[in-house]
């Protein structure tokens, strides 16, 4: 059994991820690249006696990287040297795609082209002479339609075939001068590095030396004489009157254009495409922005209206039947009282609150994935660029910001598309002001306690306040710290395409998994720690005497001017600095230990299961009804949840409406969660930006809450 | 004439790229090369960036960079 290592590459928007999803079926492994937390997707397949091990590299336009993603692709190809390269090509845009293919051929590794979107090319009336293309380039080319899984089997056998034949792509001639310079560099390297095999001195590498790609060269540990290389270079630049990079680009494009002229026949008159017709409306001078705002409003309406009944469902199921049966089980096992309390009140209740918001975050992520893979997100970036530049970021920052309303953690990873370090950092810094799903439990409980009538307005205002704060702080930081010009905005506007279900499922899960993993690990651990701190020294008469209570009381004066300086809310905020979801579960733990709930319930497993199924049906009905019943966001009208009544009564005792608002504002703005910090460290290499964010965000939160509370008091609320 | 001077719906032929370094290279790699035909598809509602059609696909770039691309107008 031989393993064939295959790197999957291609320009962005060629359907590469659809193709890899079709290749891998459900066997896609998601990991991270060493050093950076860019998702590394791998899949292995068995074909006859061979194991095909695919590595999905980030989309790239060139092997001279412009963004972090392209750098990863380049580094992998040059340093790992896969056995076969599979390049996904957009058949409707052969020329620009072949420019990249020509660069890949320089690597002198067997190459298979997937001529993807073949159906679209046919619809446009394009005819591609595939055998001629294969002959001219010395590669295998397979027409594919990834969305329908067509051409996948042929692709697999082509990979094995080029591997067995060790079919190296044709070495195209780059002109006498350049070829001579390349030969000289080769000779020089062989003399200076006698241990090197000649086959490792492929054209691509020699050209990199000529181009002076320092970053890559230093990683390859080669001895070379830069002075002499400079001399070859000067010769070429003098003869052609161009710098080497422009000369190379011209040359490669010349080759690509030449090939396309021979293999592609397309109709004389270009038809106006579907995409162009749609864009006349969606990017219209007057309608573009209103339609964009409408889309965003729809996104949130669908997310809240459809997901909220399921939030109740998860919550009711965990706090109802699951809690009850866990309790029965623990009693049956004669578990000690402390264990029972830890498992039920510490873990199950806490993690339950977090998981119950999974539907909202899931729907937001699903809709964003849909907009992304349909091609609309590129348009959103196009529309928003001018506006976002005024606060120091750019159009492409829009996607990470929007993702932030689901969960801030995938937002951090999504900033990879930003080319400039400064913009990337600023975007990451501002993302936590986008009110993520984890903050919803806090709002929901407080809104139910104080503002049942105006719930929609209050929630909406909080979201707007977060965005407003981000804009103001963005302008401020842009002027003071992250100064400098915005990086250039070069972005392809891909044709609109309908994403497949498999793609939606896979990519939604990629975004959602951060939240799920977080809930299952960190949030669980934090809840245990809080339970311990709340119950030590063992069995305090009064929770205020516990370690948590004492710490809360100690720090409470800081929050006095904001209107909520009691020990319980301070302790909850402390816990919430690790993850905001924990604020409510901490309060619930604190108040639950003040007053143990006594319940007498009947035990009937069948009835409970029936109840769960029935409840699910009822919630689905509610979701559909919400969606169609009103133009407004129906579920923002929060009804008082039964099971949270105890907590709500307690909150009404400890807060006034004004201090409750001040508290919600503080929770919205303060201390970005710990998992966000881990993501920042993974992406930027240190905790520095996270520490800055903790300081500045908490300070901003304190000031805004202070201002709000004091002004509110003066106005007599 | 500069690419940024072209109005919506106007076509031009690229004459030269007055840009520098990595940015110039990226533009070239995206197919913005002397001799190439370019169509200004539209300007974004807020006045920037612009969308162009080149080498059979749609690309957006800012006015600022479009100023660095010299074109001659095609009728």
């Amino acid at each position: 059994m031989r393993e064939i290592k295959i790197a999957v590459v291609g320009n962005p928007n060629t359907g590469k991820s659809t193709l890899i999803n079709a290749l891998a079926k459900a066997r896609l492994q998601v990991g991270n690249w060493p050093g950076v937390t860019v998702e590394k997707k791998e899949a292995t397949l068995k074909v006859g006696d061979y194991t095909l091990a695919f590595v999905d590299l980030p989309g790239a336009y060139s092997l001279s990287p412009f963004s972090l993603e392209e750098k990863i692709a380049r580094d992998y190809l040059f340093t790992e040297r896969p056995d076969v390269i599979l390049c996904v090509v957009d058949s409707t845009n052969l020329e620009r795609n072949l420019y990249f293919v020509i660069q890949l051929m320089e690597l002198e590794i067997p190459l298979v082209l997937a001529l993807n979107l073949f159906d679209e090319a046919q619809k446009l009336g394009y005819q591609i002479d595939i055998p001629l293309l294969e002959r001219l380039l010395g590669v295998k080319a397979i027409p594919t339609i990834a969305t329908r899984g067509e051409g996948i089997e042929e692709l697999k056998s082509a990979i094995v075939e080029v591997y067995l034949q060790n079919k190296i792509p044709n070495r195209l001639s780059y002109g006498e001068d350049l070829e001579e310079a390349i030969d000289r560099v080769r000779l020089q390297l062989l003399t200076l590095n006698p241990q090197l095999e000649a086959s490792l001195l492929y054209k691509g590498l020699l050209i990199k030396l000529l181009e002076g790609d320092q970053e890559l060269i230093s990683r390859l540990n080669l001895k070379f004489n830069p002075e002499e290389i400079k001399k070859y270079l000067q010769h070429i630049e003098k003869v052609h009157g161009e710098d080497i990079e422009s000369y190379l680009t011209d040359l490669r494009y010349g080759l690509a254009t030449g090939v396309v002229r021979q293999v592609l026949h397309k109709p004389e008159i270009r038809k106006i495409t579907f995409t162009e017709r749609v864009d006349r409306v969606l990017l219209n001078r007057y309608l573009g922005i209103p339609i964009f705002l409408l889309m965003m409003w729809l996104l949130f309406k669908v997310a809240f209206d459809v997901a909220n009944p399921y939030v109740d469902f998860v919550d009711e199921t965990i706090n109802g039947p699951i809690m009850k049966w866990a309790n029965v089980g623990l009693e049956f096992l004669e578990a000690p009282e402390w264990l029972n309390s830890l498992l039920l009140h510490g873990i199950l209740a806490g993690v339950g609150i977090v998981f119950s918001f999974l539907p909202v975050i899931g729907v937001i992520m699903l809709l964003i994935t849909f907009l992304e893979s349909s091609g609309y997100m590129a348009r959103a970036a196009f529309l928003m660029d001018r506006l976002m530049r005024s606060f120091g970021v750019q159009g492409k920052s829009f996607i990470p910001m929007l993702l932030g309303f689901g969960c801030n953690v995938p937002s951090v990873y999504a900033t990879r598309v930003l080319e400039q370090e400064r913009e990337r950092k600023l975007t990451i810094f501002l993302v936590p002001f986008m009110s993520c799903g984890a903050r919803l439990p806090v709002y929901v409980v407080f809104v139910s306690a104080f503002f049942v009538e105006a719930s929609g307005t209050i929630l909406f205002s909080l979201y707007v306040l977060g965005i407003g704060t981000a804009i103001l702080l963005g302008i401020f930081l842009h002027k003071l710290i992250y100064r400098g010009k915005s990086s250039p905005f070069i972005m392809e506007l891909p044709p609109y395409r309908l994403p497949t279900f498999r793609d939606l499922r896979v990519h939604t899960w990629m975004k959602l998994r951060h939240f799920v993993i977080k809930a299952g690990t960190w949030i669980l651990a934090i809840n245990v720690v809080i339970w311990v701190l709340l119950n030590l020294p063992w069995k305090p008469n009064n929770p205020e005497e516990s370690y948590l209570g004492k710490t809360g009381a100690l720090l409470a004066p800081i929050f006095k001017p904001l209107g909520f300086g009691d020990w319980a809310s301070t302790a909850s905020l402390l816990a919430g600095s690790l993850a905001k979801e924990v604020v409510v579960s901490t309060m619930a733990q604190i108040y639950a230990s003040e007053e143990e709930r006594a319940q007498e319930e009947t035990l009937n497993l069948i009835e409970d299961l029936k109840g769960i199924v029935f409840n699910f049906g009822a919630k689905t009905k509610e979701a559909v009804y919400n969606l169609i019943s009103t133009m407004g966001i129906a579920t923002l009208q929060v009804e008082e949840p039964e099971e949270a009544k105890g907590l709500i009564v307690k909150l009404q005792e400890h807060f006034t409406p004004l201090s409750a608002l001040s508290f919600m504002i503080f929770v919205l703005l303060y201390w970005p969660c710990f998992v966000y910090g881990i993501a920042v460290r993974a992406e930027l290499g240190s905790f520095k930006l996270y520490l800055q964010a903790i300081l500045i965000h908490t300070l901003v939160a304190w000031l805004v809450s202070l201002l709000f509370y004091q002004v509110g008091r003066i106005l007599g609320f | 004439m500069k690419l940024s001077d072209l109005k919506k719906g106007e076509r031009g032929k690229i004459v030269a790229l007055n840009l520098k370094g990595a940015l110039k290279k990226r533009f070239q790699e995206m197919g913005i090369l002397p001799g190439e035909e370019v169509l200004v598809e539209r300007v974004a509602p807020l006045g920037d960036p612009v969308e162009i059609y080149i080498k059979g696909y749609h690309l957006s770039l800012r006015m600022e960079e479009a100023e660095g691309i010299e074109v001659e107008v095609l009728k």
Side-chain angles (χ1 to χ4, degrees):
Chain A
M1 181 69 73
R2 295 279 300 275
E3 191 184 88
I4 311 178
K5 204 165 69 170
I6 305 142
V8 187
V9 297
N11 280 185
N13 310 311
T14 51
K16 185 166 71 72
S17 52
T18 310
L19 189 91
I20 195 128
N21 289 341
L23 267 167
K25 302 252 161 56
R27 283 173 297 235
L28 203 61
Q29 299 276 315
V30 182
N32 289 326
W33 293 96
V36 283
T37 319
V38 172
E39 261 148 8
K40 180 182 187 179
K41 283 175 267 174
E42 290 173 297
T44 46
L45 288 178
K46 292 211 163 40
V47 175
D49 288 338
Y50 297 90
T51 305
L52 309 189
F54 292 94
V55 178
D56 185 25
L57 298 184
Y61 288 108
S62 158
L63 293 181
S64 307
F66 201 64
S67 67
L68 178 62
E69 294 199 313
E70 290 187 335
K71 198 165 110 52
I72 289 161
R74 177 204 63 183
D75 288 351
Y76 186 87
L77 292 171
F78 277 93
T79 58
E80 300 282 322
R81 301 282 295 161
D83 298 317
V84 175
I85 297 173
L86 169 61
C87 180
V88 186
V89 166
D90 176 354
S91 308
T92 66
N93 188 357
L94 267 189
E95 203 177 338
R96 204 200 59 219
N97 279 263
L98 283 189
Y99 172 82
F100 184 57
V101 170
I102 303 260
Q103 283 189 316
L104 294 173
M105 288 163 66
E106 293 166 7
L107 295 170
E108 296 171 8
I109 292 172
L111 179 61
V112 175
L113 305 184
L115 301 177
N116 199 29
L117 306 168
F118 204 73
D119 49 339
E120 285 187 29
Q122 281 175 324
K123 241 183 253 160
L124 289 168
Y126 290 13
Q127 285 173 318
I128 303 171
D129 186 343
I130 296 172
L132 183 63
L133 179 71
E134 288 182 328
R135 256 203 329 278
L136 289 172
L137 300 180
V139 301
K140 283 291 280 181
I142 310 291
T144 57
I145 307 167
T147 45
R148 283 191 250 139
E150 282 177 32
I152 298 297
E153 289 309 313
E154 293 84 342
L155 214 49
K156 288 183 204 161
S157 21
I159 288 166
V160 176
E161 192 186 317
V162 295
Y163 174 76
L164 288 179
Q165 296 171 354
N166 193 26
K167 188 180 167 76
I168 305 295
N170 295 347
R171 295 185 172 91
L172 303 176
S173 171
Y174 282 19
E176 221 174 288
D177 305 310
L178 193 58
E179 291 292 342
E180 199 187 311
I182 291 171
D183 281 340
R184 286 198 183 161
V185 179
R186 179 182 289 123
L187 213 63
Q188 191 205 87
L189 284 180
L190 280 175
T191 329
L192 292 175
N193 307 274
Q195 79 291 352
L196 266 185
E197 276 176 61
S199 72
L200 278 173
L201 294 174
Y202 46 95
K203 196 173 199 163
L205 180 74
L206 300 169
I207 289 180
K208 283 281 173 204
L209 275 163
L210 274 172
E211 281 183 314
D213 190 335
Q214 294 300 343
E215 200 195 16
L216 180 70
I217 298 165
S218 63
R219 300 182 56 163
L220 295 169
N221 271 329
L222 291 169
K223 284 195 208 100
F224 64 100
N225 180 349
E227 296 303 311
E228 220 168 305
I229 287 178
K230 221 178 194 167
K231 256 190 268 165
Y232 310 147
L233 211 62
Q234 279 166 350
H235 173 71
I236 293 174
E237 294 187 343
K238 216 169 80 191
V239 172
H240 296 279
E242 269 188 300
D243 58 277
I244 180 82
E245 297 195 327
S246 302
Y247 180 61
L248 269 167
T249 316
D250 272 352
L251 204 141
R252 290 180 183 133
Y253 251 117
L255 290 168
T257 313
V259 171
V260 169
R261 236 175 245 148
Q262 292 182 64
V263 303
L264 175 68
H265 296 281
K266 54 180 174 184
E268 287 291 314
I269 302 157
R270 189 165 74 88
K271 276 185 269 180
I272 298 296
T273 59
F274 168 74
T275 297
E276 283 164 329
R277 251 175 280 147
V278 173
D279 271 344
R280 277 181 196 168
V281 181
L282 294 189
L283 297 183
N284 180 282
R285 186 128 224 192
Y286 307 102
L287 292 175
I289 303 244
I291 292 176
F292 163 78
L293 292 175
L294 189 76
M295 294 260 219
M296 293 302 112
W297 173 81
L298 262 177
L299 186 136
F300 282 98
K301 175 172 166 65
V302 173
F304 282 103
D305 280 0
V306 173
N308 256 18
Y310 296 104
V311 170
D312 294 344
F313 169 74
V314 176
D315 185 51
E316 285 159 15
T317 310
I318 291 177
N319 278 310
I322 293 183
M323 190 70 100
K324 190 170 86 185
W325 285 95
N327 193 16
V328 170
L330 286 168
E331 272 168 16
F332 176 76
L333 294 170
E334 292 177 23
E337 193 200 328
W338 68 266
L339 186 65
N340 188 312
S341 159
L342 171 65
L343 290 177
L344 296 184
H345 299 298
I347 295 176
L348 196 58
V351 175
I353 288 177
V354 179
F355 266 109
S356 63
F357 282 84
L358 199 63
V360 177
I361 299 173
V363 175
I364 291 181
M365 295 311 190
L366 176 71
L367 294 174
I368 292 176
T369 305
F370 181 84
L371 290 179
E372 243 176 335
S373 32
S374 68
Y376 186 72
M377 277 301 187
R379 272 78 184 174
F382 178 73
L383 292 169
M384 287 290 103
D385 180 61
R386 181 70 200 80
L387 192 71
M388 297 191 73
R389 234 189 320 160
S390 56
F391 54 99
V393 291
Q394 57 140 301
K396 285 184 214 169
S397 307
F398 178 74
I399 300 167
M401 294 272 189
L402 187 62
L403 270 175
F405 290 108
C407 174
N408 292 169
V409 178
S411 295
V412 176
Y413 299 121
T415 59
R416 270 179 275 133
V417 294
L418 296 165
E419 292 95 357
Q420 211 185 53
E421 186 79 356
R422 179 185 65 78
E423 279 172 353
R424 214 170 154 229
K425 281 187 176 163
L426 187 53
T427 307
I428 293 178
F429 192 85
L430 297 178
V431 151
F433 290 123
M434 305 302 121
S435 184
C436 67
R439 280 163 250 189
L440 270 174
V442 185
Y443 307 153
V444 169
V445 165
F446 274 87
V447 164
S448 327
F450 295 98
F451 309 102
V452 180
E453 266 96 78
S455 56
T457 323
I458 299 274
L459 274 184
F460 181 72
S461 314
L462 283 168
Y463 277 82
V464 172
L465 179 70
I467 298 169
T469 310
I471 292 176
L472 286 177
L473 198 65
I475 293 172
F476 186 69
L477 290 173
H478 176 46
K479 292 259 152 68
L480 276 175
I481 300 164
Y482 294 98
R483 269 188 299 199
K485 262 178 49 181
S486 176
S487 67
F489 181 76
I490 314 170
M491 191 186 61
E492 186 180 350
L493 292 169
Y496 289 109
R497 286 175 183 132
L498 197 64
T500 63
F501 280 113
R502 182 155 52 204
D503 286 349
L504 286 178
R505 202 184 64 217
V506 170
H507 297 290
T508 304
W509 171 242
M510 298 264 183
K511 298 187 180 83
L512 200 57
R513 70 189 187 103
H514 299 288
F515 180 80
V516 176
I517 293 169
K518 169 178 153 181
T521 54
W522 292 106
I523 306 292
L524 195 140
I526 296 166
N527 273 303
V528 172
V529 171
I530 288 167
W531 180 87
V532 170
L533 289 177
L534 193 58
N535 285 286
L536 285 181
W538 184 237
K539 284 253 150 219
N541 299 325
N542 178 331
E544 209 173 334
E545 286 161 27
S546 68
Y547 289 147
L548 188 69
K550 282 181 186 152
T551 321
L554 191 70
L555 294 172
I558 300 175
F559 300 106
K560 265 263 138 55
L562 314 187
F564 45 88
D566 65 303
W567 75 270
S569 52
T570 309
S572 310
L573 287 174
L574 271 183
S577 66
L578 293 163
K580 292 181 183 179
E581 300 85 324
V582 191
V583 171
V584 170
S585 61
T586 307
M587 285 190 159
Q589 277 198 51
I590 290 173
Y591 294 134
S593 53
E594 278 183 1
E595 163 193 43
E596 286 292 336
R597 260 196 305 183
Q599 293 177 316
E600 274 306 319
E601 277 171 292
T602 49
L603 285 175
N604 184 334
L605 187 57
I606 306 288
E607 277 304 308
D608 280 342
L609 287 177
K610 254 201 229 158
I612 293 174
V613 173
F614 179 75
N615 196 7
F616 186 82
K619 299 299 184 199
T620 305
K621 208 169 104 190
E622 196 182 324
V624 174
Y625 180 73
N626 280 342
L627 195 62
I628 53 175
S629 62
T630 123
M631 285 305 283
I633 297 181
T635 42
L636 287 185
Q637 322 298 322
V638 180
E639 67 241 71
E640 196 166 314
E642 280 298 313
E643 65 285 345
K645 255 198 180 124
L647 180 56
I648 284 170
V649 171
K650 287 285 173 189
L651 289 178
Q652 284 164 340
E653 285 169 18
H654 289 87
F655 286 84
T656 64
L658 184 65
S659 68
L661 270 176
S662 169
F663 186 81
M664 282 193 269
I665 293 174
F666 193 80
V667 170
L668 163 70
L669 301 174
Y670 90 121
W671 202 303
C673 86
F674 184 55
V675 186
Y676 161 86
I678 293 173
V680 170
R681 198 195 108 86
E683 286 291 290
L684 300 177
S686 80
F687 278 118
K688 194 172 147 221
L689 187 124
Y690 181 49
L691 295 176
Q692 290 168 343
I694 289 175
L695 272 174
I696 295 177
H697 288 213
T698 310
L699 187 66
V700 166
W702 194 82
L703 289 173
V704 175
S705 296
L706 177 78
L707 190 73
F708 181 83
Y709 183 70
Q710 294 302 340
V711 170
R713 245 177 26 150
I714 291 165
L715 295 177
F717 285 103
Chain B
M1 198 165 191
K2 295 169 187 161
L3 178 61
S4 52
D5 298 330
L6 291 186
K7 296 208 170 52
K8 180 181 167 177
E10 284 187 329
R11 288 188 310 135
K13 189 175 186 176
I14 295 170
V15 179
L17 264 73
N18 303 321
L19 296 159
K20 280 203 189 75
L23 181 61
K24 179 178 181 186
K25 188 173 172 95
R26 177 47 43 131
F27 270 100
Q28 290 169 327
E29 291 187 314
M30 299 303 279
I32 303 184
L33 296 163
E36 208 60 50
E37 247 183 57
V38 57
L39 164 76
V40 174
E41 191 80 61
R42 67 174 52 81
V43 177
L46 300 174
D48 201 12
V50 283
E51 177 186 344
I52 59 168
Y53 180 78
I54 189 162
K55 271 197 190 292
Y57 78 103
H58 294 264
L59 184 71
S60 66
L61 64 155
R62 293 210 186 114
M63 282 294 181
E64 202 182 333
E65 277 89 43
E67 279 175 20
I69 300 169
E70 241 175 86
V71 294
E72 68 190 33
V73 186
L74 291 176
K75 287 283 169 282

